[in-house]
PDB file of all heavy atoms in Angstrom:
ATOM      1  N   ILE A  69      72.181 102.657  94.425  1.00 89.00           N
ATOM      2  CA  ILE A  69      72.538 101.344  94.867  1.00 89.00           C
ATOM      3  C   ILE A  69      72.761 101.312  96.379  1.00 89.00           C
ATOM      4  O   ILE A  69      73.606 102.091  96.816  1.00 89.00           O
ATOM      5  CB  ILE A  69      73.720 100.648  94.043  1.00 89.00           C
ATOM      6  CG1 ILE A  69      73.424 100.685  92.544  1.00 89.00           C
ATOM      7  CG2 ILE A  69      73.932  99.220  94.577  1.00 89.00           C
ATOM      8  CD1 ILE A  69      74.604 100.101  91.800  1.00 89.00           C
ATOM      9  N   GLN A  70      71.995 100.596  97.128  1.00 84.00           N
ATOM     10  CA  GLN A  70      72.077 100.481  98.580  1.00 84.00           C
ATOM     11  C   GLN A  70      72.774  99.300  98.944  1.00 84.00           C
ATOM     12  O   GLN A  70      72.230  98.179  98.894  1.00 84.00           O
ATOM     13  CB  GLN A  70      70.726 100.675  99.165  1.00 84.00           C
ATOM     14  CG  GLN A  70      70.759 100.716 100.728  1.00 84.00           C
ATOM     15  CD  GLN A  70      69.417 100.950 101.351  1.00 84.00           C
ATOM     16  OE1 GLN A  70      69.216 101.677 102.269  1.00 84.00           O
ATOM     17  NE2 GLN A  70      68.418 100.281 100.783  1.00 84.00           N
ATOM     18  N   SER A  71      74.070  99.384  99.382  1.00 74.00           N
ATOM     19  CA  SER A  71      74.859  98.134  99.693  1.00 74.00           C
ATOM     20  C   SER A  71      74.320  97.493 100.899  1.00 74.00           C
ATOM     21  O   SER A  71      74.347  96.270 101.092  1.00 74.00           O
ATOM     22  CB  SER A  71      76.273  98.495  99.796  1.00 74.00           C
ATOM     23  OG  SER A  71      76.537  99.500 100.614  1.00 74.00           O
ATOM     24  N   THR A  72      73.902  98.368 101.918  1.00 73.00           N
ATOM     25  CA  THR A  72      73.515  97.830 103.151  1.00 73.00           C
ATOM     26  C   THR A  72      72.057  98.309 103.314  1.00 73.00           C
ATOM     27  O   THR A  72      71.686  99.398 103.442  1.00 73.00           O
ATOM     28  CB  THR A  72      74.333  98.429 104.366  1.00 73.00           C
ATOM     29  OG1 THR A  72      75.675  98.157 104.283  1.00 73.00           O
ATOM     30  CG2 THR A  72      73.782  97.851 105.674  1.00 73.00           C
ATOM     31  N   LEU A  73      71.072  97.309 103.344  1.00 70.00           N
ATOM     32  CA  LEU A  73      69.684  97.606 103.370  1.00 70.00           C
ATOM     33  C   LEU A  73      69.356  98.054 104.790  1.00 70.00           C
ATOM     34  O   LEU A  73      69.662  97.556 105.833  1.00 70.00           O
ATOM     35  CB  LEU A  73      68.847  96.361 103.061  1.00 70.00           C
ATOM     36  CG  LEU A  73      69.141  95.823 101.622  1.00 70.00           C
ATOM     37  CD1 LEU A  73      68.316  94.484 101.465  1.00 70.00           C
ATOM     38  CD2 LEU A  73      68.818  96.857 100.621  1.00 70.00           C
ATOM     39  N   ILE A  74      68.565  99.186 104.781  1.00 71.00           N
ATOM     40  CA  ILE A  74      67.933  99.658 105.978  1.00 71.00           C
ATOM     41  C   ILE A  74      66.764  98.803 106.494  1.00 71.00           C
ATOM     42  O   ILE A  74      66.791  98.472 107.708  1.00 71.00           O
ATOM     43  CB  ILE A  74      67.528 101.172 105.744  1.00 71.00           C
ATOM     44  CG1 ILE A  74      68.667 102.041 105.282  1.00 71.00           C
ATOM     45  CG2 ILE A  74      66.857 101.646 107.078  1.00 71.00           C
ATOM     46  CD1 ILE A  74      68.206 103.416 104.964  1.00 71.00           C
ATOM     47  N   ASN A  75      65.916  98.377 105.683  1.00 70.00           N
ATOM     48  CA  ASN A  75      64.780  97.642 106.052  1.00 70.00           C
ATOM     49  C   ASN A  75      64.193  97.016 104.808  1.00 70.00           C
ATOM     50  O   ASN A  75      64.648  97.200 103.686  1.00 70.00           O
ATOM     51  CB  ASN A  75      63.704  98.458 106.848  1.00 70.00           C
ATOM     52  CG  ASN A  75      63.232  99.644 106.113  1.00 70.00           C
ATOM     53  OD1 ASN A  75      62.803  99.548 104.863  1.00 70.00           O
ATOM     54  ND2 ASN A  75      63.311 100.815 106.635  1.00 70.00           N
ATOM     55  N   ASN A  76      63.088  96.206 105.019  1.00 66.00           N
ATOM     56  CA  ASN A  76      62.407  95.462 103.837  1.00 66.00           C
ATOM     57  C   ASN A  76      61.937  96.398 102.801  1.00 66.00           C
ATOM     58  O   ASN A  76      61.590  96.011 101.699  1.00 66.00           O
ATOM     59  CB  ASN A  76      61.418  94.404 104.393  1.00 66.00           C
ATOM     60  CG  ASN A  76      62.142  93.238 104.896  1.00 66.00           C
ATOM     61  OD1 ASN A  76      63.266  92.963 104.523  1.00 66.00           O
ATOM     62  ND2 ASN A  76      61.353  92.514 105.618  1.00 66.00           N
ATOM     63  N   ASP A  77      61.579  97.611 103.265  1.00 71.00           N
ATOM     64  CA  ASP A  77      60.863  98.559 102.325  1.00 71.00           C
ATOM     65  C   ASP A  77      61.822  99.385 101.581  1.00 71.00           C
ATOM     66  O   ASP A  77      61.401 100.149 100.685  1.00 71.00           O
ATOM     67  CB  ASP A  77      59.978  99.586 103.199  1.00 71.00           C
ATOM     68  CG  ASP A  77      58.789  98.857 103.837  1.00 71.00           C
ATOM     69  OD1 ASP A  77      58.393  97.841 103.293  1.00 71.00           O
ATOM     70  OD2 ASP A  77      58.487  99.191 104.983  1.00 71.00           O
ATOM     71  N   SER A  78      63.038  99.184 101.723  1.00 77.00           N
ATOM     72  CA  SER A  78      64.109  99.945 101.045  1.00 77.00           C
ATOM     73  C   SER A  78      64.695  99.091  99.795  1.00 77.00           C
ATOM     74  O   SER A  78      65.085  97.933  99.982  1.00 77.00           O
ATOM     75  CB  SER A  78      65.358 100.225 101.908  1.00 77.00           C
ATOM     76  OG  SER A  78      64.935 101.062 102.949  1.00 77.00           O
ATOM     77  N   PRO A  79      64.569  99.693  98.642  1.00 85.00           N
ATOM     78  CA  PRO A  79      65.079  98.899  97.460  1.00 85.00           C
ATOM     79  C   PRO A  79      66.601  98.850  97.475  1.00 85.00           C
ATOM     80  O   PRO A  79      67.274  99.813  97.835  1.00 85.00           O
ATOM     81  CB  PRO A  79      64.564  99.676  96.235  1.00 85.00           C
ATOM     82  CG  PRO A  79      64.398 101.101  96.903  1.00 85.00           C
ATOM     83  CD  PRO A  79      64.059 100.966  98.274  1.00 85.00           C
ATOM     84  N   GLN A  80      67.147  97.735  97.047  1.00 87.00           N
ATOM     85  CA  GLN A  80      68.577  97.601  96.917  1.00 87.00           C
ATOM     86  C   GLN A  80      69.047  98.568  95.703  1.00 87.00           C
ATOM     87  O   GLN A  80      70.065  99.006  95.788  1.00 87.00           O
ATOM     88  CB  GLN A  80      68.974  96.114  96.778  1.00 87.00           C
ATOM     89  CG  GLN A  80      70.421  95.977  96.596  1.00 87.00           C
ATOM     90  CD  GLN A  80      70.889  94.417  96.225  1.00 87.00           C
ATOM     91  OE1 GLN A  80      69.977  93.709  95.813  1.00 87.00           O
ATOM     92  NE2 GLN A  80      72.054  93.958  96.563  1.00 87.00           N
ATOM     93  N   ILE A  81      68.203  98.414  94.605  1.00 92.00           N
ATOM     94  CA  ILE A  81      68.611  99.146  93.472  1.00 92.00           C
ATOM     95  C   ILE A  81      67.359  99.894  93.145  1.00 92.00           C
ATOM     96  O   ILE A  81      66.245  99.505  93.062  1.00 92.00           O
ATOM     97  CB  ILE A  81      69.111  98.220  92.343  1.00 92.00           C
ATOM     98  CG1 ILE A  81      70.331  97.524  92.614  1.00 92.00           C
ATOM     99  CG2 ILE A  81      69.129  99.003  91.045  1.00 92.00           C
ATOM    100  CD1 ILE A  81      70.857  96.511  91.652  1.00 92.00           C
ATOM    101  N   GLN A  82      67.638 101.252  92.752  1.00 94.00           N
ATOM    102  CA  GLN A  82      66.479 102.136  92.263  1.00 94.00           C
ATOM    103  C   GLN A  82      66.937 102.903  91.038  1.00 94.00           C
ATOM    104  O   GLN A  82      67.993 103.613  91.231  1.00 94.00           O
ATOM    105  CB  GLN A  82      65.953 103.010  93.479  1.00 94.00           C
ATOM    106  CG  GLN A  82      64.861 104.101  92.879  1.00 94.00           C
ATOM    107  CD  GLN A  82      64.430 104.993  94.030  1.00 94.00           C
ATOM    108  OE1 GLN A  82      63.711 104.549  94.943  1.00 94.00           O
ATOM    109  NE2 GLN A  82      64.945 106.212  93.977  1.00 94.00           N
ATOM    110  N   LEU A  83      66.170 102.883  90.023  1.00 97.00           N
ATOM    111  CA  LEU A  83      66.575 103.701  88.917  1.00 97.00           C
ATOM    112  C   LEU A  83      65.371 104.555  88.503  1.00 97.00           C
ATOM    113  O   LEU A  83      64.261 104.117  88.278  1.00 97.00           O
ATOM    114  CB  LEU A  83      66.905 102.904  87.643  1.00 97.00           C
ATOM    115  CG  LEU A  83      67.217 103.658  86.309  1.00 97.00           C
ATOM    116  CD1 LEU A  83      68.398 104.517  86.491  1.00 97.00           C
ATOM    117  CD2 LEU A  83      67.338 102.827  85.145  1.00 97.00           C
ATOM    118  N   GLU A  84      65.593 105.912  88.573  1.00 97.00           N
ATOM    119  CA  GLU A  84      64.517 106.816  88.077  1.00 97.00           C
ATOM    120  C   GLU A  84      64.641 107.045  86.470  1.00 97.00           C
ATOM    121  O   GLU A  84      65.736 107.287  86.031  1.00 97.00           O
ATOM    122  CB  GLU A  84      64.749 108.292  88.730  1.00 97.00           C
ATOM    123  CG  GLU A  84      63.691 109.262  88.189  1.00 97.00           C
ATOM    124  CD  GLU A  84      64.028 110.640  88.821  1.00 97.00           C
ATOM    125  OE1 GLU A  84      64.956 110.795  89.741  1.00 97.00           O
ATOM    126  OE2 GLU A  84      63.372 111.526  88.480  1.00 97.00           O
ATOM    127  N   LEU A  85      63.561 106.645  85.816  1.00 97.00           N
ATOM    128  CA  LEU A  85      63.566 106.668  84.324  1.00 97.00           C
ATOM    129  C   LEU A  85      62.651 107.523  83.829  1.00 97.00           C
ATOM    130  O   LEU A  85      61.396 107.515  84.151  1.00 97.00           O
ATOM    131  CB  LEU A  85      63.377 105.077  83.947  1.00 97.00           C
ATOM    132  CG  LEU A  85      63.299 104.882  82.441  1.00 97.00           C
ATOM    133  CD1 LEU A  85      64.777 105.020  81.833  1.00 97.00           C
ATOM    134  CD2 LEU A  85      62.896 103.416  82.117  1.00 97.00           C
ATOM    135  N   ASN A  86      63.045 108.325  82.857  1.00 97.00           N
ATOM    136  CA  ASN A  86      62.131 109.167  82.102  1.00 97.00           C
ATOM    137  C   ASN A  86      62.339 108.932  80.663  1.00 97.00           C
ATOM    138  O   ASN A  86      63.496 108.778  80.122  1.00 97.00           O
ATOM    139  CB  ASN A  86      62.575 110.731  82.335  1.00 97.00           C
ATOM    140  CG  ASN A  86      62.327 111.103  83.753  1.00 97.00           C
ATOM    141  OD1 ASN A  86      61.287 110.871  84.393  1.00 97.00           O
ATOM    142  ND2 ASN A  86      63.307 111.753  84.403  1.00 97.00           N
ATOM    143  N   VAL A  87      61.224 108.829  79.987  1.00 97.00           N
ATOM    144  CA  VAL A  87      61.224 108.522  78.587  1.00 97.00           C
ATOM    145  C   VAL A  87      60.386 109.625  77.889  1.00 97.00           C
ATOM    146  O   VAL A  87      59.206 109.831  78.153  1.00 97.00           O
ATOM    147  CB  VAL A  87      60.459 107.166  78.185  1.00 97.00           C
ATOM    148  CG1 VAL A  87      60.468 106.781  76.790  1.00 97.00           C
ATOM    149  CG2 VAL A  87      61.370 106.015  79.000  1.00 97.00           C
ATOM    150  N   PHE A  88      60.968 110.168  76.751  1.00 97.00           N
ATOM    151  CA  PHE A  88      60.330 111.282  76.072  1.00 97.00           C
ATOM    152  C   PHE A  88      60.054 110.769  74.606  1.00 97.00           C
ATOM    153  O   PHE A  88      60.849 110.189  74.039  1.00 97.00           O
ATOM    154  CB  PHE A  88      61.201 112.451  75.992  1.00 97.00           C
ATOM    155  CG  PHE A  88      61.607 113.053  77.317  1.00 97.00           C
ATOM    156  CD1 PHE A  88      62.635 112.516  78.021  1.00 97.00           C
ATOM    157  CD2 PHE A  88      60.807 114.045  77.961  1.00 97.00           C
ATOM    158  CE1 PHE A  88      62.995 113.056  79.275  1.00 97.00           C
ATOM    159  CE2 PHE A  88      61.125 114.522  79.137  1.00 97.00           C
ATOM    160  CZ  PHE A  88      62.183 114.005  79.825  1.00 97.00           C
ATOM    161  N   GLU A  89      58.797 111.045  74.211  1.00 95.00           N
ATOM    162  CA  GLU A  89      58.388 110.666  72.892  1.00 95.00           C
ATOM    163  C   GLU A  89      57.614 111.889  72.339  1.00 95.00           C
ATOM    164  O   GLU A  89      56.478 112.004  72.685  1.00 95.00           O
ATOM    165  CB  GLU A  89      57.505 109.401  72.776  1.00 95.00           C
ATOM    166  CG  GLU A  89      57.230 108.926  71.373  1.00 95.00           C
ATOM    167  CD  GLU A  89      56.257 107.669  71.488  1.00 95.00           C
ATOM    168  OE1 GLU A  89      56.085 107.154  72.487  1.00 95.00           O
ATOM    169  OE2 GLU A  89      55.989 107.233  70.331  1.00 95.00           O
ATOM    170  N   ASN A  90      58.110 112.728  71.334  1.00 91.00           N
ATOM    171  CA  ASN A  90      57.512 113.832  70.984  1.00 91.00           C
ATOM    172  C   ASN A  90      57.259 114.765  72.171  1.00 91.00           C
ATOM    173  O   ASN A  90      58.187 115.113  72.921  1.00 91.00           O
ATOM    174  CB  ASN A  90      56.218 113.575  70.131  1.00 91.00           C
ATOM    175  CG  ASN A  90      56.611 112.773  68.840  1.00 91.00           C
ATOM    176  OD1 ASN A  90      57.587 112.940  68.242  1.00 91.00           O
ATOM    177  ND2 ASN A  90      55.693 111.862  68.544  1.00 91.00           N
ATOM    178  N   ASN A  91      55.989 115.101  72.375  1.00 91.00           N
ATOM    179  CA  ASN A  91      55.685 115.985  73.568  1.00 91.00           C
ATOM    180  C   ASN A  91      55.120 115.113  74.722  1.00 91.00           C
ATOM    181  O   ASN A  91      54.584 115.739  75.657  1.00 91.00           O
ATOM    182  CB  ASN A  91      54.557 116.985  73.112  1.00 91.00           C
ATOM    183  CG  ASN A  91      55.218 117.950  72.121  1.00 91.00           C
ATOM    184  OD1 ASN A  91      56.295 118.399  72.180  1.00 91.00           O
ATOM    185  ND2 ASN A  91      54.294 118.231  71.145  1.00 91.00           N
ATOM    186  N   THR A  92      55.444 113.836  74.739  1.00 95.00           N
ATOM    187  CA  THR A  92      54.831 112.998  75.804  1.00 95.00           C
ATOM    188  C   THR A  92      56.065 112.468  76.619  1.00 95.00           C
ATOM    189  O   THR A  92      57.063 112.228  76.150  1.00 95.00           O
ATOM    190  CB  THR A  92      54.133 111.698  75.185  1.00 95.00           C
ATOM    191  OG1 THR A  92      53.043 112.201  74.406  1.00 95.00           O
ATOM    192  CG2 THR A  92      53.593 110.925  76.408  1.00 95.00           C
ATOM    193  N   LYS A  93      55.745 112.472  78.040  1.00 96.00           N
ATOM    194  CA  LYS A  93      56.727 112.018  78.935  1.00 96.00           C
ATOM    195  C   LYS A  93      56.238 110.889  79.781  1.00 96.00           C
ATOM    196  O   LYS A  93      55.029 110.951  80.267  1.00 96.00           O
ATOM    197  CB  LYS A  93      57.221 113.065  79.934  1.00 96.00           C
ATOM    198  CG  LYS A  93      58.241 112.728  80.945  1.00 96.00           C
ATOM    199  CD  LYS A  93      58.551 113.892  81.814  1.00 96.00           C
ATOM    200  CE  LYS A  93      59.545 113.438  82.954  1.00 96.00           C
ATOM    201  NZ  LYS A  93      59.882 114.607  83.932  1.00 96.00           N
ATOM    202  N   TYR A  94      56.960 109.829  79.831  1.00 97.00           N
ATOM    203  CA  TYR A  94      56.573 108.753  80.765  1.00 97.00           C
ATOM    204  C   TYR A  94      57.728 108.707  81.864  1.00 97.00           C
ATOM    205  O   TYR A  94      58.860 108.517  81.504  1.00 97.00           O
ATOM    206  CB  TYR A  94      56.579 107.396  79.900  1.00 97.00           C
ATOM    207  CG  TYR A  94      56.584 106.066  80.664  1.00 97.00           C
ATOM    208  CD1 TYR A  94      55.607 105.987  81.777  1.00 97.00           C
ATOM    209  CD2 TYR A  94      57.499 105.131  80.539  1.00 97.00           C
ATOM    210  CE1 TYR A  94      55.538 104.775  82.476  1.00 97.00           C
ATOM    211  CE2 TYR A  94      57.436 103.915  81.207  1.00 97.00           C
ATOM    212  CZ  TYR A  94      56.462 103.792  82.259  1.00 97.00           C
ATOM    213  OH  TYR A  94      56.443 102.639  82.970  1.00 97.00           O
ATOM    214  N   ALA A  95      57.259 108.706  83.122  1.00 97.00           N
ATOM    215  CA  ALA A  95      58.201 108.707  84.254  1.00 97.00           C
ATOM    216  C   ALA A  95      57.776 107.621  85.103  1.00 97.00           C
ATOM    217  O   ALA A  95      56.689 107.233  85.442  1.00 97.00           O
ATOM    218  CB  ALA A  95      58.011 110.000  84.891  1.00 97.00           C
ATOM    219  N   THR A  96      58.895 106.798  85.478  1.00 97.00           N
ATOM    220  CA  THR A  96      58.692 105.565  86.353  1.00 97.00           C
ATOM    221  C   THR A  96      59.940 105.270  87.114  1.00 97.00           C
ATOM    222  O   THR A  96      61.023 106.017  87.018  1.00 97.00           O
ATOM    223  CB  THR A  96      58.308 104.446  85.536  1.00 97.00           C
ATOM    224  OG1 THR A  96      57.830 103.323  86.386  1.00 97.00           O
ATOM    225  CG2 THR A  96      59.441 103.987  84.702  1.00 97.00           C
ATOM    226  N   PHE A  97      59.826 104.290  87.925  1.00 96.00           N
ATOM    227  CA  PHE A  97      61.092 103.794  88.802  1.00 96.00           C
ATOM    228  C   PHE A  97      61.188 102.420  88.509  1.00 96.00           C
ATOM    229  O   PHE A  97      60.120 101.676  88.406  1.00 96.00           O
ATOM    230  CB  PHE A  97      60.952 104.189  90.180  1.00 96.00           C
ATOM    231  CG  PHE A  97      61.011 105.514  90.626  1.00 96.00           C
ATOM    232  CD1 PHE A  97      59.951 106.473  90.582  1.00 96.00           C
ATOM    233  CD2 PHE A  97      62.284 106.031  90.999  1.00 96.00           C
ATOM    234  CE1 PHE A  97      60.041 107.746  90.891  1.00 96.00           C
ATOM    235  CE2 PHE A  97      62.408 107.230  91.428  1.00 96.00           C
ATOM    236  CZ  PHE A  97      61.350 108.265  91.323  1.00 96.00           C
ATOM    237  N   LEU A  98      62.434 101.865  88.310  1.00 97.00           N
ATOM    238  CA  LEU A  98      62.643 100.411  88.355  1.00 97.00           C
ATOM    239  C   LEU A  98      63.343 100.148  89.659  1.00 97.00           C
ATOM    240  O   LEU A  98      64.304 100.704  90.008  1.00 97.00           O
ATOM    241  CB  LEU A  98      63.716 100.117  87.275  1.00 97.00           C
ATOM    242  CG  LEU A  98      63.213 100.509  85.795  1.00 97.00           C
ATOM    243  CD1 LEU A  98      64.124 100.041  84.765  1.00 97.00           C
ATOM    244  CD2 LEU A  98      61.854 100.036  85.527  1.00 97.00           C
TER     245      LEU A  98
END
Side-chain angles (χ1 to χ4, degrees):
I69 300 176
Q70 186 176 219
S71 57
T72 303
L73 299 179
I74 301 173
N75 53 54
N76 280 343
D77 296 325
S78 300
Q80 181 187 19
I81 296 175
Q82 173 180 289
L83 176 67
E84 180 183 353
L85 180 66
N86 297 310
V87 180
F88 301 88
E89 182 182 3
N90 297 324
N91 294 321
T92 302
K93 178 183 177 181
Y94 167 53
T96 191
F97 287 89
L98 304 184

